[in-house]
Amino acid sequence: MIKRHLPFATVAVIALVAAPLLLEPFRLGLLAKYLCYAIVALGIGLAWGQGGMLTLGQGVFFGLGGYSMAMYLKLNEAGPGGLPDFMVWSGVEKLPALWAPFASPVFAVGMAVLGPVLLAVLLGTLVFRQRVRGAYFAILTQALAAAMVILLVGQQGLTGGTNGMTNFFELFGQDLADDSTQRGLYLVVASVLGILYLATRQLVHSRYGRLLVAVRDGEDRVRFLGYDPALVKTVTFAASAGMAGLAGALFVPVVGIISPALLGVVPSLELVVAVAVGGRHALAGAVLGAVVMGYAKTAFSEQFADGWLYLQGALFILVMTLAPKGIVGVVGRLRRARTT
Amino acid sequence: MLELRDVQVVFDGFRALDGVNLTVPEGELRFLIGPNGAGKTTLIDVITGLTKPAGGSVRFGGLDLVGRKEHQIVRLGVGRTFQTSVVFEELTVIENLDLAATFRQPLWSLARRRRGISEAVEQALTRTGLEDLAERSAGVLSHGQRQWLEIGMLLAQRPKLLLLDEPVAGMSKDERERTGELLTEIADDHTVIVVEHDMEFLRRHASTVTVLHEGKVLVEGSIDQVSADPRVQEVYLGRRKAEDAVGNRP
């Protein structure tokens, strides 16, 4: 029992105690950003690694969460009756009706999760019932990400267009530029990731997790066991969408911006690559992949700005051909080799 | 219990089933035979909802099955196996059986871990004789063991009607024998329909046989009646050599 929880406990102590003490605020902020991505990756690990649904459009859900949060922050800054800065610049004179409820932080945070979940349920119900799967599902989700970007860019006055939304100064009365606020945010992000990780792990080890693997490996057979695979997939996809939405909502105050460039096709793909590199069949692999690839991207881009894209592509090919189970798979193999 | 009336299935102009009538009373062990392409598997597919008939009715326990989804038909108590067994290789034998047994539970209740072994799983395990392999992953099972696991999964669901599609195909002699025993045992308290090619197996275990030919029921009766029928000899037994050369279903 203790042995099983030891790796998680160690990582939790490092993340919650050591990192805030040792890292300078800038690096801690970066880590918080990677952990936000790790939450999305966890959802991808669940949907893809366990459920076989290759979702190339998690950016959509991440974006819905991010924009919900950003709308609240913007309205909070503008004050009662005020307009967000970008609306003033675009010549909008009256607050759009869509925006009004986001003045409530409860509504905004609720929608950050519920919006993605509802969209995923709608999409899943339409798509999985028609038995759309495999590459077709992947392409569909990718198209959704592309469409989302077009929609956001086109609605300049409503969404801030290409620039998105930025210049957030305050969250629940705390100054966002303050180091202690950022440290607090980091702890929130790390805790949310930890809780979601434990919950997802519980789910994967439960009967539902077995059912999900069965759906991945033999959807038709599962149907003849009396289960509705479309329902199982929809629920799982919705859970992963909810995680991405929550991650988006946390991302905005941590990083200070949300824009179409952060949630389109490329960022969605990058996360899938990260999950593959970490090891998609293990939840820890998904989380690890997101953090490692996040760090690698920062470190690499600081040295050679354009080289990262090629390195990332090469890494993906390398992992897929040589170590399909990712970093976690390689570590597992080394450990087994040492014991035998 | 199961009643098919004038069932028609057309694939791209080809009449796979051309007005099949079939009645299987409760508790019967019925064998379904016929040359390749006679429509045996198609018939099973129609009963289980995989193929939609172009005409006719399929009634089970007084309910119309046509138009229901596969998983809904399973929930009414109709279970099936496939020619090529599909067990979940990444799950253990126990987990496979448990997954089958919990199909009536609401989805949310599955979010808990399995604790111990339920009675239905225990029984299925004993009946199929897979106790020693319970904790092994299904991926390591032999072909015969996989078929037994499939049958065990069916049993764990406690269905009223079992449809087995060529359960002994590709099995060794010993495995056939064990499967035959298992089948006789199951037939004691279930209604079972078996699609089977193997004549020796039929002679040993069959009671009532329905012969399908070109999408129609040709003859129905005991194995002796059926094999003595000249029409059956002509379309099926007489052509057996040629068929064996051609191989299994197209």
Side-chain angles (χ1 to χ4, degrees), chain A residues 36-333:
Chain A
C36 288
Y37 285 135
I39 295 174
V40 187
L42 187 65
I44 296 176
L46 178 67
W48 181 34
Q50 304 295 317
M53 292 169 271
L54 176 52
T55 157
L56 302 181
Q58 288 306 90
V60 171
F61 306 123
F62 181 79
L64 284 175
Y67 271 89
S68 295
M69 192 66 177
M71 282 157 86
Y72 160 69
L73 292 176
K74 274 288 161 206
L75 285 177
N76 187 42
E77 242 123 75
L83 276 182
D85 49 8
F86 73 90
M87 285 192 188
V88 177
W89 303 331
S90 323
V92 177
E93 283 166 4
K94 192 173 166 292
L95 192 71
L98 175 69
W99 271 69
F102 285 90
S104 147
V106 177
F107 181 84
V109 173
M111 276 313 283
V113 179
L114 210 61
V117 167
L118 290 177
L119 179 64
V121 167
L122 180 73
L123 194 72
T125 312
L126 291 173
V127 164
F128 297 134
R129 290 238 171 274
Q130 297 303 315
R131 302 185 188 176
V132 174
R133 55 187 135 171
Y136 300 101
F137 174 74
I139 291 166
L140 198 102
T141 51
Q142 189 170 61
L144 196 69
M148 173 97 165
V149 169
I150 294 169
L151 190 76
L152 288 171
V153 171
Q155 301 291 319
Q156 174 84 33
L158 202 63
T159 62
T162 318
N163 297 327
M165 289 178 235
T166 185
N167 294 332
F168 309 115
F169 302 107
E170 193 190 284
L171 174 71
F172 305 135
Q174 305 293 312
D175 183 0
L176 276 173
D178 206 41
D179 283 349
S180 70
T181 311
Q182 283 299 329
R183 197 177 304 123
L185 268 173
Y186 165 82
L187 289 173
V188 169
V189 173
S191 309
V192 167
L193 174 62
I195 291 165
L196 285 176
Y197 175 79
L198 288 178
T200 312
R201 191 171 71 172
Q202 162 68 22
L203 193 68
V204 165
H205 289 293
S206 73
R207 281 172 158 154
Y208 185 90
R210 300 289 177 260
L211 176 59
L212 191 59
V213 168
V215 168
R216 179 190 74 196
D217 294 344
E219 191 175 329
D220 295 316
R221 186 69 186 88
V222 169
R223 199 168 281 128
F224 285 103
L225 286 180
Y227 294 100
D228 181 5
L231 181 66
V232 178
K233 287 169 98 169
T234 304
V235 169
T236 310
F237 186 47
S240 87
M243 285 187 221
L246 188 56
L250 292 168
F251 180 90
V252 167
V254 167
V255 180
I257 185 170
I258 188 77
S259 76
L262 291 166
L263 52 94
V265 172
V266 174
S268 300
L269 279 177
E270 276 184 327
L271 277 170
V272 172
V273 170
V275 171
V277 169
R280 70 183 146 122
H281 292 305
L283 295 174
V287 171
L288 183 70
V291 175
V292 167
M293 291 299 268
Y295 256 115
K297 184 178 180 176
T298 308
F300 233 78
S301 303
E302 279 170 5
Q303 312 291 327
F304 330 85
D306 297 325
W308 169 245
L309 208 57
Y310 296 99
L311 185 78
Q312 190 181 22
L315 206 58
F316 182 58
I317 295 170
L318 218 64
V319 165
M320 278 313 191
T321 48
L322 296 179
K325 288 185 178 166
I327 299 174
V328 168
V330 172
V331 170
R333 211 155 52 189

